[in-house]
Amino acid sequence: MQTAIRRELGGAVQIKMKHTRIYILMVLAAFCWSGAFIAGKFAVPYIPTVSLTFGRFVVATAAMGFIKKYMESKNPEEKYIFQKTDLKKFLFTGIVGMVGYHIFFFLSLKYTTAINSSIIGATNPVVTALLALLFLKQKLPLKQALGIALSLFGVVLTITAGDLSVLAAFDLNKGDLIMCLAVIVWAAYGVYSKSRCAGISPVAITYYSFLVCTLVLIPFVLLEKPWEFLPGVPAEAYIAVIFMAIFPSCFSYLVQQIAIKEIGPARTSVFINLVPIFSFVLATLILGETLQPVKILTAALIIAGVCICQLAGNTKKES
């Protein structure tokens, strides 16, 4: 009897320790995602948008290829063999999700702060829920509607800097508006992947989306004549590109997939709310951006709205 109790206690302790490691890794993943906003600010002054996106995904595709091979060797039942019928799916996820989002993302960083971009980017789960409502005809619980409204109000406060009178004059920062487009495009990628790519593993979707993104961008990169500007690009910009390719694109993704399996998607998604908080700290310390009280308020509204949406979504799944 005592032996059985000890085994149960030992198993519980091991599970708790394993979950603790996952929580720590997810905090690091959120930190890396926030670092993408900072790294982007280092790179956009020196590298044109298309070439910057291409550079990030050349490295990320190679790294994700190794990750795909490793994960499929650990889980042979999840191994994906490319099918011609899936080509249209990967063209959508690669062009819309990867090319579209990152072009808008890097463009936004040319005209707005990393703080603003990260605040607007935090609305992705809310916008995803809204698109699922529109295109997948999913029902919208009252709590989820409240969360969406709260987050969207936070976005309005962000792009108006708390002065709603600028809406009448439509005197808005175009970088903030471009980041809103980036969020919509990424949400569309998420909704499409969930509805049309159900039989494909997440790592396979990501790898082939990265690959399509890289191949599609080649002719557009040539138009930017990279051989003319690359010699003048400083070392910190190259480091920023490599950082974005390895850590936010690959490391954080891998940790997220492991966390979803170990602690579930609901608890994993909560850590994404740390991204704007880390971005505030990094942008203030590294970039010298000013953190205004209104930004803290807008971030709080958006995160609260996202949490309400997540809780409402989890309750719906449980029922």
Side-chain angles (χ1 to χ4, degrees):
M1 181 71 176
Q2 289 181 344
T3 304
I5 292 172
R6 286 197 194 100
R7 285 177 181 172
E8 287 183 10
L9 288 173
V13 169
Q14 286 182 342
I15 291 171
K16 188 174 181 180
M17 289 177 65
K18 191 174 184 180
H19 285 184
T20 300
R21 286 196 293 269
I22 292 295
Y23 294 150
I24 292 170
L25 285 171
M26 275 306 302
V27 171
L28 289 174
F31 184 83
C32 291
W33 279 321
S34 66
F37 293 93
I38 313 304
K41 291 293 283 187
F42 275 102
V44 293
Y46 306 102
I47 306 175
T49 303
V50 174
S51 296
L52 181 54
T53 304
F54 177 77
R56 175 174 180 171
F57 280 98
V58 164
V59 179
T61 302
M64 188 56 70
F66 285 109
I67 291 173
K68 178 177 178 292
K69 188 173 182 180
Y70 168 77
M71 292 187 72
E72 289 180 346
S73 67
K74 298 284 285 185
N75 302 285
E77 69 279 1
E78 294 185 6
K79 187 174 182 179
Y80 170 78
I81 306 298
F82 178 78
Q83 305 289 330
K84 287 184 179 180
T85 53
D86 291 331
L87 180 58
K88 289 182 180 180
K89 298 173 184 177
F90 294 135
L91 285 173
F92 183 93
T93 57
I95 295 172
V96 175
M98 302 304 159
V99 176
Y101 172 79
H102 288 87
I103 293 294
F104 287 138
F105 171 68
F106 289 128
L107 275 177
S108 77
L109 289 175
K110 285 188 175 185
Y111 304 108
T112 192
T113 62
I115 289 176
N116 272 28
S117 286
S118 67
I119 291 173
I120 296 169
T123 62
N124 178 257
V126 170
V127 177
T128 301
L130 199 55
L131 291 185
L133 168 70
L134 294 174
F135 295 102
L136 301 183
K137 309 301 181 184
Q138 292 185 358
K139 292 182 179 180
L140 187 67
L142 182 60
K143 284 185 180 179
Q144 214 164 13
L146 175 62
I148 290 173
L150 197 60
S151 290
L152 293 181
F153 181 61
V155 171
V156 171
L157 288 180
T158 300
I159 64 178
T160 61
D163 182 7
L164 297 179
S165 65
V166 302
L167 288 175
F170 208 72
D171 185 21
L172 303 172
N173 183 303
K174 64 180 177 181
D176 293 340
L177 296 177
I178 292 171
M179 190 61 202
C180 289
L181 290 176
V183 170
I184 293 170
V185 164
W186 188 255
Y189 159 77
V191 170
Y192 182 88
S193 298
K194 185 176 180 180
S195 62
R196 300 295 179 89
C197 305
I200 307 171
S201 68
V203 70
I205 295 172
T206 304
Y207 170 71
Y208 284 106
S209 298
F210 281 13
L211 183 61
V212 167
C213 172
T214 304
L215 295 176
V216 165
L217 286 176
I218 290 174
F220 300 99
V221 170
L222 294 177
L223 292 175
E224 290 183 339
K225 300 178 181 178
W227 53 88
E228 293 184 357
F229 63 79
L230 285 178
V233 175
E236 59 264 28
Y238 284 115
I239 293 170
V241 172
I242 294 171
F243 170 83
M244 288 187 287
I246 299 298
F247 292 97
S249 297
C250 296
F251 168 77
S252 294
Y253 169 80
L254 181 60
V255 169
Q256 184 186 41
Q257 293 305 309
I258 294 171
I260 287 171
K261 288 186 177 181
E262 295 295 334
I263 62 175
R267 278 191 281 179
T268 298
S269 65
V270 171
F271 288 90
I272 297 173
N273 297 321
L274 293 173
V275 174
I277 297 171
F278 284 141
S279 297
F280 288 176
V281 176
L282 293 175
T284 304
L285 295 178
I286 298 174
L287 301 176
E289 293 183 1
T290 303
L291 181 57
Q292 300 166 333
V294 68
K295 304 300 181 187
I296 299 175
L297 172 63
T298 58
L301 288 172
I302 289 170
I303 291 172
V306 170
C307 288
I308 291 171
C309 276
Q310 289 170 333
L311 289 171
N314 295 339
T315 303
K316 183 180 176 183
K317 286 177 184 177
E318 289 172 3
S319 62

